[in-house]
Amino acid sequence: MIKVRFPIPDRLIVLTFDDGVKSCATFVAPLLKHYRFGATFYITEGLNFLKDKDRYMTWGEIRELDEAGFEIGNHTRHHKNVSTQLREELIADLGHIDHRCQENGILLPQTFCYPGDHNSPEAVTVLEERQYLFARRGVAPEYPYYDEGGRGPAYNPTHHHPLLIPTTGASGPNWTFEDFIWAVEQAKDGNIAVLTFHGVPDLDHPWVHTEPVQFESYMNYLHNNDCTVIAMRDLARYVVPFTEIKE
Ligand SMILES: [Zn+2]
């Protein structure tokens, strides 16, 4: 089975931002534009998205991210644990975000992120049927899950299923600059570093919070060290996506 399209360059970094936090539009996106970095923003209407428009983006702001060339990914309607959801519920929750994207003139999501990082073979089957290219999970089971961020495995396309791509670095109060460097250094010899952020800052969920000044130093490091920084869907330039894998 051929899984890699081109040799994976060293220092290939995937940037992802979960939950549609307001600071993604006001702080993160302008900084990424400055460096011309790609990134994926995983959107859910769960958590406090509908109630608190001071802390969560509007669909107008999400559309602006799409128009700016960033990827909008599906993070489900309700942000429920998909491993305990009925198949029909998950399909409806995915369809809801797709519908919202359509209504707002946003490209249909091609990649997915598991809410709370919970996954199951049944959920993967649903994603396969709906033709997602790639999906991102958390650091477990290879690494212990820490509530406030931590290290995870590098993504190796020859080992990992494209719909169960691990997080190599999960930002939070427990994840330091040293951990960030460690994650970037894993991106070699055919491995890719996948970074997971939430809000910068994240006022609603302090356990996934990233300090803006710290985030600036991360992006500056990626820029100064010739990293290629892409969105999840851009993996298809290097890796054969799920939809094109021939057994
Ligand atoms: Zn989430």
Side-chain angles (χ1 to χ4, degrees):
M1 197 195 292
I2 299 167
K3 294 181 175 173
V4 175
R5 189 164 264 165
F6 291 113
I8 310 278
D10 287 351
R11 298 182 175 274
L12 183 60
I13 313 292
V14 178
L15 278 189
T16 62
F17 298 84
D18 297 5
D19 299 348
V21 180
K22 188 69 140 191
S23 53
C24 287
T26 55
F27 177 73
V28 172
L31 191 63
L32 300 184
K33 271 189 218 168
H34 170 74
Y35 287 120
R36 299 173 187 268
F37 288 166
T40 304
F41 296 91
Y42 284 109
I43 304 302
T44 174
E45 282 196 341
L47 306 171
N48 285 319
F49 181 91
L50 295 175
K51 283 176 256 165
D52 189 346
K53 297 324 284 179
D54 288 333
R55 290 189 173 179
Y56 291 84
M57 288 189 279
T58 64
W59 276 105
E61 287 169 320
I62 297 167
R63 184 178 58 237
E64 285 173 20
L65 294 179
D66 172 72
E67 286 168 356
F70 296 113
E71 177 185 18
I72 303 307
N74 200 321
H75 201 35
T76 77
R77 178 178 190 170
H78 295 295
H79 204 272
K80 285 185 182 165
N81 176 348
V82 300
S83 71
T84 56
Q85 265 191 312
L86 291 174
R87 174 186 160 79
E88 291 67 31
E89 264 186 285
L90 174 57
I91 291 170
D93 283 2
L94 291 167
H96 179 85
I97 295 295
D98 285 353
H99 183 64
R100 281 277 184 266
C101 286
Q102 244 164 353
E103 274 178 348
N104 287 283
I106 295 168
L107 277 179
L108 272 188
Q110 294 178 290
T111 74
F112 173 78
C113 171
Y114 298 91
D117 299 332
H118 304 286
N119 57 76
S120 67
E122 293 77 14
V124 171
T125 301
V126 170
L127 300 181
E128 287 176 356
E129 290 166 3
R130 292 181 71 90
Q131 300 276 296
Y132 281 93
L133 304 180
F134 301 104
R136 203 211 74 219
R137 60 178 169 91
V139 302
E142 296 93 334
Y143 280 69
Y145 170 75
Y146 293 111
D147 209 15
E148 300 202 322
R151 298 180 179 189
Y155 168 40
N156 188 312
T158 60
H159 297 323
H160 294 116
H161 189 296
L163 298 176
L164 284 168
I165 294 179
T167 290
T168 315
S171 182
N174 188 45
W175 197 64
T176 62
F177 193 75
E178 201 184 332
D179 294 318
F180 163 77
I181 303 281
W182 177 88
V184 172
E185 286 177 350
Q186 305 310 300
K188 61 179 183 205
D189 306 329
N191 295 302
I192 300 164
V194 180
L195 303 183
T196 296
F197 294 91
H198 287 72
V200 188
D202 200 312
L203 304 171
D204 236 17
H205 300 108
W207 56 94
V208 289
H209 164 79
T210 305
E211 282 294 334
V213 65
Q214 208 168 356
F215 185 77
E216 279 173 337
S217 68
Y218 298 155
M219 296 305 108
N220 192 37
Y221 181 91
L222 296 178
H223 174 73
N224 290 337
N225 287 275
D226 294 321
C227 294
T228 304
V229 185
I230 61 171
M232 281 281 282
R233 68 181 174 202
D234 303 331
L235 280 170
R237 295 178 198 155
Y238 308 95
V239 178
V240 179
F242 170 74
T243 46
E244 293 174 36
I245 288 180
K246 311 260 187 298
E247 294 295 336

